[in-house]
Amino acid sequence: MSSTLELTKQLIARRSLTPNDAGCLDLMASRLAPLDFNLEKMRHGEVDNLWARRGSAAPIVCFAGHTDVVPTGPVERWDSDPFTPTVRDGMLYGRGASDMKGSLAAFVTAIEKFTAEHPGHKGSIALLLTSDEEGIAVDGTVRVVEALKARQQTIDYCIVGEPTSVSKTGDTIKNGRRGSLSGTLIVKGVQGHIAYPHLVKNPIHMAAPAIAELAATVWDEGNEYFPPTSFQISNIKGGTGATNVVPGTVELLFNFRHSTASSVASLKSRFIAILDKHKLAYDLEWENSSGKPYLTPRGDLVDAVAAAIKQVTGLDTELSTSGGTSDGRFIADICPQVIELGPLNATIHKVNESVAVADLDALSEIYYLTLRKLLAE
């Protein structure tokens, strides 16, 4: 059994349902301590975080990830217990196998190999780990970044171990993510009997033209790395439950997934301008946990990771900014070059989540070669 497979199995066996770490960080810390890492635990609320660093010089190469996993869903639908790591036909099954305990194990074994071969490497190696990524993500990575920022500590390069690969491990690097801006809009009318329309103001009817304009608006054209900004309404709620009552309000939940071509401020102001244009009475609340977009163009980190992938797999990797948000959006505040690279994402959050055993060693080797290119060559 390879050391990466063994460590991945040990991590999967810990029931780290978000935001519970279940001892995963302690397990990883026990492997890092003999390598002369300075280990700093940062607990916020119910969330455990770890900032670990080896060395004191620049540049800092940081590996970032999360130990928490999503719920399993119906256990009876799994072919084996989701927290009993099981290898079948070359695949390792278990909750978190690909999202992202395999990446965490590969981080550690890559670092162990690199520091054994290059004990006097230049710069520093760091890990930023949390148990609050799959949940509401308010006491995890963002808190560690705030603490580092308060110390005026920056990171030069960061690799987030999210499962980015599509068909083969290493075929896709996420070199950025769209921002996410969510809000709740309550359009106010006047409630009353449906048979007396002159005595009511139907907020659903009033909101409809504004909704149509919001849906038809071209917010931006995107750019080289990002598609155009998307506006979507996810929920509409109105009515009292009775068929003969016009409601007094209608509530809309909405979201922008936006590129770097639009700022949060510009989206907010344009959104409000459309509401005001239609003379709506409304309450509007923006979600605080929304994330900014980030982008890492080709440069030292992208080139090093791409070259490592080519050396291990023979693949010419693709750069992508698709998908949802990740903790990379927080790290980008203190790090100019952030990418995401991990195993296949085909089974993440699903029943029978799995990762190919061979891919674990390949991923560890890619991380190892990236360290060598950035800190030893």
Side-chain angles (χ1 to χ4, degrees):
M1 185 187 301
S2 78
S3 59
T4 307
L5 173 59
E6 182 178 5
L7 181 54
T8 304
K9 293 177 72 173
Q10 292 173 6
L11 290 167
I12 290 173
R14 287 159 169 78
R15 302 175 63 90
S16 56
L17 292 167
T18 189
N20 183 18
D21 169 69
C24 292
L25 290 177
D26 286 340
L27 174 61
M28 297 181 69
S30 70
R31 300 282 288 262
L32 298 172
L35 307 179
D36 296 326
F37 273 83
N38 178 51
L39 306 173
E40 184 178 359
K41 287 189 174 181
M42 301 182 186
R43 184 171 174 85
H44 294 274
E46 298 181 351
V47 176
D48 290 298
N49 304 298
L50 177 66
W51 170 248
R53 179 172 174 177
R54 183 184 199 269
S56 58
I60 301 175
V61 178
C62 177
F63 294 99
H66 60 90
T67 61
D68 57 320
V69 298
V70 298
T72 63
V75 175
E76 63 273 14
R77 291 182 55 199
W78 287 70
D79 294 333
S80 53
D81 185 277
F83 294 106
T84 301
T86 305
V87 176
R88 296 191 302 273
D89 301 322
M91 302 295 294
L92 172 63
Y93 291 86
R95 177 54 87 220
S98 53
D99 189 15
M100 57 181 291
K101 292 182 175 180
S103 296
L104 297 181
F107 288 165
V108 172
T109 56
I111 291 169
E112 287 174 335
K113 179 179 179 180
F114 177 76
T115 54
E117 294 183 2
H118 303 278
H121 63 81
K122 65 182 180 181
S124 303
I125 305 171
L127 290 97
L128 196 169
L129 306 172
T130 183
S131 66
D132 182 36
E133 196 273 346
E134 297 290 9
I136 57 176
V138 296
D139 285 322
T141 298
V142 65
R143 298 294 189 191
V144 181
V145 169
E146 287 171 354
L148 296 176
K149 190 184 293 187
R151 304 173 192 171
Q152 298 184 323
Q153 173 69 74
T154 58
I155 298 168
D156 296 284
Y157 310 112
C158 184
I159 301 171
V160 185
E162 290 292 344
T164 59
S165 301
V166 179
S167 300
K168 297 180 179 180
T169 288
D171 63 4
T172 305
I173 293 172
K174 302 284 188 184
N175 67 319
R177 295 273 190 161
R178 293 176 296 173
S180 176
L181 174 62
S182 296
T184 301
L185 171 67
I186 297 176
V187 177
K188 297 184 285 188
V190 176
Q191 180 177 317
H193 198 294
I194 205 166
Y196 298 91
H198 59 290
L199 299 179
V200 302
K201 289 184 179 180
N202 192 320
I204 299 174
H205 295 180
M206 295 161 59
I211 292 173
E213 183 169 349
L214 289 166
T217 296
V218 177
W219 302 93
D220 60 51
E221 300 291 345
N223 54 36
E224 177 186 359
Y225 292 102
F226 289 99
T229 290
S230 167
F231 169 80
Q232 297 292 329
I233 294 173
S234 57
N235 282 275
I236 296 181
K237 182 172 65 178
T240 64
T243 60
N244 61 349
V245 179
V246 169
T249 61
V250 60
E251 179 182 272
L252 293 81
L253 306 183
F254 63 90
N255 175 266
F256 288 95
R257 289 300 166 102
H258 64 99
S259 70
T260 51
S262 290
S263 67
V264 169
S266 69
L267 292 173
K268 286 182 176 181
S269 64
R270 292 178 67 190
F271 181 86
I272 291 170
I274 291 173
L275 300 183
D276 292 342
K277 172 185 173 183
H278 290 274
K279 301 185 182 339
L280 298 179
Y282 60 88
D283 291 325
L284 176 60
E285 183 175 349
W286 299 99
E287 189 176 291
N288 290 329
S289 61
S290 298
K292 297 183 295 185
Y294 74 91
L295 176 66
T296 299
R298 291 190 178 275
D300 294 343
L301 181 58
V302 169
D303 291 347
V305 175
I309 291 170
K310 181 72 171 180
Q311 189 170 337
V312 174
T313 69
L315 297 172
D316 293 313
T317 193
E318 177 182 332
L319 301 182
S320 172
T321 61
S322 64
T325 59
S326 78
D327 277 0
R329 69 191 190 273
F330 304 127
I331 300 168
D333 277 350
I334 58 170
C335 182
Q337 298 188 50
V338 180
I339 65 100
E340 301 171 29
L341 172 65
L344 270 64
N345 55 28
T347 64
I348 61 175
H349 294 199
K350 293 183 178 180
V351 167
N352 291 326
E353 180 180 350
S354 62
V355 64
V357 171
D359 287 351
L360 294 173
D361 288 328
L363 193 59
S364 178
E365 187 69 7
I366 291 168
Y367 293 152
Y368 156 76
L369 288 173
T370 301
L371 282 173
R372 202 171 75 180
K373 292 175 187 301
L374 293 173
L375 297 183
E377 294 182 358

